Amino acid sequence: MKHGLNLLIQHGKPEDILPSIAKASGAHTVYAHTETCSEELRVERGVRAGLQKVRRQTQEPSGKNPLSPKLELVWGSTMYHTDDLPFHPTELPDVYTQFRKSVESKCTIRSCFKLPTSLGPLPRCDLDEIGGWGCVPLVDDLGLHHEKVNMGMCFRGGESAALSRVNEYFWRKDLLRVYKETRNGMLGPDYSTKFSPWLASGCISPRLVYEEVKRYEKERQANDSTYWVLFELIWRDYFRFLSVKYVNSLFQIGGPRKVESIKWSQDRVLFESWREGRTGYPLIDANMKELYTTGFMSNRGRQIVCSFLVRDMGIDWRMGAEWFETCLLDYDPCSNYGNWTYGAGVGNDPREDRYFSIPKQAQNYDPDGEYVAYWLPELQALPKDKRHFPGKSYIKQIVPLKFGSSNQRHGRSNYNRRQGKDYAGGSKNFY
Ligand code: FAD
């Protein structure tokens, strides 16, 4: 508003809303980011078709300025611009490290655009026709309710909140300095950046995060942690470019490698116990409760619950991916389905085939059971070393662990012996 314009807020489908706004404002062009996945491309086509039905009222000759507003798409969302890649996305390397090394050595990251000094004047617009400027709906208006979570991150939408988190995490709390050591945490707001919901909804750009990391490195210090945030953002880019290369196979059961040898189950009882956090494994149940309650789960948690669903339960990985899609505040089709295909062992890179052992993960990332006791208060009274495997004080385990046992005896030999023919690819990494 300081720059002479306002934000028009409407709630509904882009293919219905955008043509009506274009009509009311007499717009000649609608600009949007290019999408890469099928459902988003369908919306893009719907918007284009809707705009074609709009007739602009113009005095100019129609040849010069078409009567219907046009849809102009620009590449966005990634840190590296698609036009700057040393290869076409369809030729993308299947090994992440090759991709990363190649872009790091051959590409530069474009600067952010400066905000124009003036955004006005307001287009001549019949706002009444479209219900006025609108306002940000309250959570209650959307049929949802607030959940009070003391140990979580309070996510507020919008660019100002996103910038304030960057400021807090990098500068005020100086957490960027130690990111690489803390990033595998699960409890509280500060073990990782928590930028993902804002990145996913376009409230901040990864190019801005890049510029802030570089400024931090100049003004404070450069170390492994400052680099690691960029390393993770390159993963995010990689999954987006992979969606251009592998199109719909990212959503199909055999994944990009079209793996057919895995027999997946769609057992509803097992799936519901995972979804609702009633598996009898506190580490799984706590993470699933956090996801449902807050719309967020740590990266460590996501890898563990994904591995449990696909490896220990043998459930169709797409059911897990869909539940994540339903809940995640940072849902992004490329990162979500890309990570799930890796977790399920059907991703483009067979070397990313991993089994996460619950006893080992619990020992490394929640040794005192603080995380599980926060989300499952019934465990708080137990001694710390019993919280992950509380026996009869907790609900019965719904399936045994495939590799390794719950009394913390696990190891490669056991894992290799029992791996059988369940999964494609000979060697799996055991975490
Ligand atoms: P940080 O650790 O602070 O990382 C900084 C940024 O790097 C993140 O905000 C994110 O943009 C990016 N990033 C980090 N790890 C990854 C990764 N493995 N893949 C892609 N980008 C990454 N991330 C999403 O943004 N949307 C999803 O829908 C999504 N689904 C996932 C599903 C599964 C099964 C798994 C294992 C991971 C998924 N991730 C997804 C990646 C990752 O878990 C989240 O990006 C991360 O936990 C967000 O927290 P953060 O912002 O604090 O991350």
Side-chain angles (χ1 to χ4, degrees), residues 165 169 179 183 189 191-197 199-200 228-237 239 296-306 324-325 328 330-341 343:
R165 174 63 180 169
Y169 191 86
Y179 167 76
R183 58 179 282 273
Y191 57 82
S192 67
T193 68
K194 307 287 165 72
F195 294 162
S196 57
L199 285 164
W228 216 259
V229 168
L230 304 180
F231 177 96
E232 295 299 343
L233 286 172
I234 301 175
W235 264 114
R236 181 176 172 277
D237 274 19
F239 283 125
F296 191 84
M297 189 195 287
S298 67
N299 185 53
R300 182 58 35 189
R302 294 182 207 203
Q303 295 182 91
I304 297 169
V305 301
C306 165
F324 269 37
E325 176 172 350
L328 281 176
D330 64 21
Y331 170 69
D332 163 69
C334 314
S335 287
N336 189 51
Y337 284 83
N339 274 291
W340 271 95
T341 58

Side-chain angles (χ1 to χ4, degrees), residues 370-411:
E370 271 182 62
Y371 175 74
V372 291
Y374 178 76
W375 285 103
L376 307 167
E378 63 268 39
L379 301 178
Q380 269 161 20
L382 294 182
K384 290 179 178 175
D385 62 343
K386 294 271 176 303
R387 287 174 176 172
H388 281 283
F389 292 98
K392 290 209 167 57
S393 334
Y394 189 59
I395 45 180
K396 194 166 172 280
Q397 295 170 349
I398 193 145
V399 287
L401 295 179
K402 200 140 199 144
F403 310 116
S405 64
S406 49
N407 60 10
Q408 315 228 352
R409 273 189 289 110
H410 54 78

Side-chain angles (χ1 to χ4, degrees), residues 140-159:
D140 298 335
D141 299 340
L142 300 171
L144 302 167
H145 60 277
H146 276 285
E147 289 282 354
K148 199 167 157 22
V149 177
N150 300 326
M151 293 295 286
M153 174 80 194
C154 176
F155 288 110
R156 279 182 191 284
E159 188 192 30

Side-chain angles (χ1 to χ4, degrees), residues 7 18 24 34 82 90 177 195 208 210 236 242 331 360 365 381 385 423-424 430:
L7 181 66
L18 291 172
T34 307
T82 185
T90 50
R177 197 172 44 82
F195 294 162
L208 182 131
Y210 172 82
R236 181 176 172 277
L242 275 181
Y331 170 69
K360 198 170 173 202
Y365 301 106
D385 62 343
Y423 300 105
F430 192 82

Side-chain angles (χ1 to χ4, degrees), residues 7 16 82 95 102 203 209 218 228 254 271 287 323 389:
L7 181 66
D16 300 332
T82 185
V95 175
S102 175
C203 299
V209 178
K218 221 161 128 195
W228 216 259
F271 177 70
N287 271 292
W323 180 241
F389 292 98

